[in-house]
Amino acid sequence: MKPKLRLAVLASGSGTNLQSLIDQSQQGKLDVEIVLVISNNPQSGALERAASAGIKNLCINHRNFPQRQDFDRAVVTALQQAKTDLVALAGFMRIISKVFLEAFPQRIINIHPALLPAFPGLHVQKKALEYGARFSGCTVHLVDDDVDTGPIILQAVVPIHSNDTESTLAARILEQEHKIYPQAIQWFAEGRIIIQGRSVTVSGARSADVALINPACE
Ligand code: GAR
């Protein structure tokens, strides 16, 4: 039998994306072995979620490393010791340095709660609301040497409602994150992701066939 893809997840926050990966792998829908969870934040819910699922977890606190590269080196060492094939950033609020990128070329992916290239960076639901955008969503992309700029693998679109707050919009987006991140990782596990420059093709995947209009036409 082919060995499973060895996935490591890096998270800083509550870890609901990690939880969706754990749940889907337990249900047999995501065919990977989650070999390690790392958080830079000792309070991260991701560490508890990993522990409850019996997954090896480590806190590597960035505050103990004066230089970003030294923190990244510690993370890379842990990932290599766990024989990681693919690194998934799931609400990991640290910028990644060259040291990390070079250790896992085209093997680091991220989920971002906006429709890139619109609204990169932080506080993106607030930015989308303030801009007056009619849609937002989430993006799974490869990580490159800038912030939220790497080649896009897949996206989900959600409407923005006139009475939305940052938190109602974030919740609507998060629901889709929990669908598209496991899907993207499953495609990696199946060897179906083809990367050519900025263009990522998913072999055999069906293209979306609906257009959305918001507010709806009458
Ligand atoms: C998610 O919305 C994720 O897209 C976002 O942080 C949240 C983490 O939630 N990531 C970023 O903003 C990365 N720049 P979670 O801890 O519940 O998975």
Side-chain angles (χ1 to χ4, degrees), residues 13-18 90-93 110-113 121 148 174 177:
S14 71
T16 66
N17 272 293
L18 167 68
F92 185 62
M93 297 308 196
N110 182 42
I111 185 144
H112 180 74
D148 301 327
L174 203 53
E177 292 185 40

Side-chain angles (χ1 to χ4, degrees), residues 34-46:
I34 305 176
V35 290
L36 180 62
V37 170
I38 299 177
S39 183
N40 61 307
N41 170 15
Q43 315 301 332
S44 171

Side-chain angles (χ1 to χ4, degrees), residues 177-188:
E177 292 185 40
H178 297 162
K179 292 183 190 161
I180 69 171
Y181 216 13
Q183 174 64 86
I185 293 166
Q186 178 61 20
W187 284 333
F188 268 98

Side-chain angles (χ1 to χ4, degrees), residues 17 89-93 110-116 118-128 135-141 148 155-156 158 160 166 169-177 180:
N17 272 293
L89 310 183
F92 185 62
M93 297 308 196
N110 182 42
I111 185 144
H112 180 74
L115 280 181
L116 292 171
F119 310 121
L122 297 175
H123 311 297
V124 295
Q125 294 88 355
K126 184 163 181 274
K127 286 181 192 162
F135 290 100
S136 189
C138 43
T139 304
V140 179
H141 64 94
D148 301 327
Q155 296 184 299
V158 305
I160 296 180
E166 222 177 304
L169 178 57
R172 190 173 309 117
I173 293 171
L174 203 53
E175 204 181 317
Q176 299 307 313
E177 292 185 40
I180 69 171

